[in-house]
Amino acid sequence: MDTDEAYLNGYTRGDGNLYSYDHLFILDKKPKILRGYEICWGDKDREQLKIISTIIKQKFPNIIPKIYTRKNSRVLVLKCCRKIVFNYFKQLMTSDIGRENTEKIKFFIMGFCDAEADVALTTNGSNKGKRDYKPRIRITQKDKNFLLKIKKLLENNFGIGSNIYKKWKQDVHVLQIAGNKIVNLFSQKIGFRNPTKNKKLLSVQSSFNHNH
C-alpha cells in the first residue's frame, strides 16, 4: 500500500460503496446471466471527486471513471464499473491500516476526513460578556467502533486527542477534535487534501487568531 492507496482506503470507507450483482444479458436470443461490478463515491464537491478520479487513472491508465449528477439531488457521483478496479478496491479495503507506517496512516485519516469531516468555529461559552468560540473538527458516523479506531490512530501516531459522543436523538456518533491547540496540531500533522475543506480550516484558524 502506498500513500495514495491509503488515502483511497480512508476516503472510500467514508463515502464509497462497492456493489456486485447479476444481470440478464441476451445474445442471439440466448439468455445469459452476467456478473456486474460497480464502485461509486458521492460528494457535493466536484474537486474532491476529481482527486479520486485522478488517483484511479494513475493506477489504471486505460480506465476513466465518470462523474455525473444524481437525479433530484445536488450530490455528484463518481462511478467505475470495471471488474479489475472493483477487485483492486475489495482487496485494498481488507488491509489493516494499523499495521502500516505513520505516513500511510496520515493519508488514511486524511482521506476519511476529506469524506466525513466538518470544520467550524463552535461556541465555547462566554468570556467577560462576550461569546467565546473555538475551532473544531467533527466526524459523524453510525459505526462507533470505527470512530474508536480513528481516535486511537490519532492519539497513538500524532498525539491528537479527541472525544466521541452520541448525537442527541439520532443513531449516530460524533468524533470531535476541539480547541485551537489540538486543531492546529491536526492541521500540521494531517490536514486535508480536499481544497475546499483545507481552505475552510485555514479560515477558521485565521478567524480564531484574529479574535484572540
Side-chain angles (χ1 to χ4, degrees), residues 115-149:
E116 298 288 73
D118 171 65
V119 185
L121 281 174
T122 187
T123 182
N124 194 32
S126 297
N127 183 18
K128 296 181 181 179
K130 288 183 65 177
R131 206 68 165 159
D132 196 19
Y133 292 89
K134 64 179 178 182
R136 60 91 175 139
I137 298 168
R138 285 179 183 162
I139 302 169
T140 303
Q141 276 274 306
K142 287 186 176 181
D143 188 349
K144 183 181 179 181
N145 288 330
F146 190 71
L147 290 182
L148 287 169
K149 181 177 181 178

Side-chain angles (χ1 to χ4, degrees), residues 19-23 33-38 81 83 86:
Y19 306 98
S20 60
Y21 51 89
D22 293 328
H23 62 93
I33 300 297
L34 298 180
R35 192 72 171 162
Y37 301 90
E38 181 179 307
C81 298
K83 181 179 178 181
F86 178 91

Side-chain angles (χ1 to χ4, degrees), residues 87-205:
N87 288 338
Y88 167 80
F89 272 92
K90 190 174 180 180
Q91 181 176 358
L92 185 63
M93 300 299 285
T94 62
S95 59
D96 183 2
I97 193 64
R99 295 179 179 271
E100 302 293 340
N101 62 38
T102 301
E103 185 70 2
K104 292 173 186 176
I105 291 172
K106 165 189 168 179
F107 276 87
F108 174 84
I109 295 174
M110 185 189 297
F112 185 65
C113 288
D114 274 358
E116 298 288 73
D118 171 65
V119 185
L121 281 174
T122 187
T123 182
N124 194 32
S126 297
N127 183 18
K128 296 181 181 179
K130 288 183 65 177
R131 206 68 165 159
D132 196 19
Y133 292 89
K134 64 179 178 182
R136 60 91 175 139
I137 298 168
R138 285 179 183 162
I139 302 169
T140 303
Q141 276 274 306
K142 287 186 176 181
D143 188 349
K144 183 181 179 181
N145 288 330
F146 190 71
L147 290 182
L148 287 169
K149 181 177 181 178
I150 296 294
K151 176 180 171 66
K152 185 176 179 180
L153 291 173
L154 287 167
E155 291 174 352
N156 292 349
N157 294 278
F158 308 102
I160 297 173
S162 61
N163 66 293
I164 296 174
Y165 61 90
K166 189 176 186 299
K167 208 164 186 180
W168 190 58
K169 289 188 176 182
Q170 295 185 44
D171 189 25
V172 295
H173 290 81
V174 177
L175 182 147
Q176 178 170 263
I177 301 166
N180 189 53
K181 184 177 179 180
I182 204 74
V183 168
N184 281 344
L185 192 60
F186 175 90
S187 178
Q188 293 163 12
K189 295 196 172 186
I190 300 176
F192 294 104
R193 196 166 180 170
N194 179 299
T196 304
K197 289 190 177 181
N198 190 54
K199 185 178 179 180
K200 182 68 178 294
L201 177 60
L202 293 173
S203 175
V204 163
Q205 290 174 298

